[in-house]
Amino acid sequence: TLTVTSANHWMTAWLGLELNMISILPVIAKQKHPRSTEAATKYFLTQATASALMLFASTINAWQTGSWDIMQLNNKLSCILMIAALAMKMGAAPTHFWLPEVMQGTTLATALLITTWQKIAPITLLYMISNHTEPIITLSIGLLSILVGGWGGFNQTQLRKMMAYSSIAHLGWTMTVISIAPNIALTNIIIYMIMSAPFFTLLMTTTSKTLQTMTTTWTHTPTTTIILMLLLLSMAGLPPLTGFTPKLLILDNLVTHKLTLTAATMALLSLLSLTFYLRTTYLLTSTAPPTTTQSTTTWRLKPHQNQTTAILTPIALFNITILPALLT
């Protein structure tokens, strides 16, 4: 990832992405189970295809313009192909099909890695070429991702798949604004990562994998339940919480650039995501299952305190007041 983020030459960036992909494959396939092997295979095939497309786009650009510099992606065809390749790398619609499948086949820790760390390299490259991107293409990919992310998460009972669709929807918000205000796009994805990390770590602590197992958390860990509820509402983008800030900035920028219809469509499509976030929140806090659980070990919490969660949770919930100061 660091190789990609510090690269100036397309070949170096490609090499960094390949190393990154090869390194995470054993992590995905760590469990001795056909499901994780299938997930690793799917991940490998999609990432290899995207890498090949990326190499093809940079070669065409070098052939037409004589430059391998990342910032000088002046060829129109190269730029379109590059956006497609990077969208595939991240898991933005319409090339999102691998993401829910891969996340469902791995552990919660690896799923967290795929939704956060693995997005850094392609997002950095997108940020670097943002001044050459066609706004119509990024807006189309973004709107489609928000739609797919909302619709796909609707009937999910598996938390990892639900979070995969949530990731697709958040990527949609990032994609819509990347060619208009790349700094805000970057802010959006960073805030999403900050919200995802404590959510996944709390799921790991309570070993929750489905909506059904989430309903019993409150009997053992009421504090965790409240934090999970707030994190879900923050991801949904409800006002006093952090998740609302990037959404507001993105919509504000789109309206400033006379894209009011697009902004209105995005706001309406985000209601799809809000539905499944609210459903999960309702299950977490407002349903009362039998207080006696059959299992004695499933819900026994790990003795150590997780510092990452402790540090990231307040930022993921309440940094709305300091964010404007950071952006200016």
Side-chain angles (χ1 to χ4, degrees), residues 86-257:
L86 293 173
M88 195 174 186
K89 280 247 173 234
M90 290 185 294
T95 49
H96 64 280
F97 297 100
W98 63 272
L99 187 62
E101 298 295 322
V102 169
M103 279 181 68
Q104 187 55 35
T106 59
T107 59
L108 282 164
T110 315
L112 169 63
L113 205 64
I114 292 167
T115 45
T116 54
W117 187 263
Q118 292 302 98
K119 302 259 189 287
I120 295 171
I123 279 283
T124 308
L125 290 174
L126 255 180
Y127 182 81
M128 287 166 86
I129 63 165
S130 58
N131 58 336
H132 295 298
T133 51
E134 286 285 323
I136 188 76
I137 295 167
T138 52
L139 282 169
S140 307
I141 291 172
L143 281 168
L144 193 60
S145 295
I146 297 167
L147 176 66
V148 166
W151 228 325
F154 234 69
N155 282 333
Q156 295 302 335
T157 53
Q158 294 288 337
L159 287 172
R160 280 166 295 180
K161 273 197 174 179
M162 195 184 88
M163 288 310 292
Y165 283 109
S166 158
S167 171
I168 293 164
H170 277 90
L171 272 176
W173 282 86
T174 305
M175 288 298 282
T176 43
V177 83
I178 195 90
S179 55
I180 299 162
N183 286 351
I184 289 172
L186 216 56
T187 308
N188 182 54
I189 204 78
I190 290 165
I191 285 177
Y192 167 68
M193 288 173 188
I194 289 169
M195 290 188 294
S196 276
F199 186 79
F200 271 103
T201 45
L202 288 172
L203 290 186
M204 280 182 256
T205 312
T206 55
T207 61
S208 305
K209 291 192 176 77
T210 61
L211 288 177
Q212 190 182 359
T213 49
M214 263 184 121
T215 53
T216 51
T217 52
W218 73 273
T219 56
H220 293 264
T221 51
T223 317
T224 303
T225 310
I226 291 163
I227 293 170
L228 279 170
M229 176 197 80
L230 287 169
L231 286 168
L232 278 164
L233 294 177
S234 185
M235 280 186 204
L238 294 181
L241 306 166
T242 306
F244 172 68
T245 317
K247 283 187 167 63
L248 178 69
L249 290 168
I250 289 167
L251 293 176
D252 177 51
N253 248 283
L254 290 171
V255 172
T256 309
H257 286 83

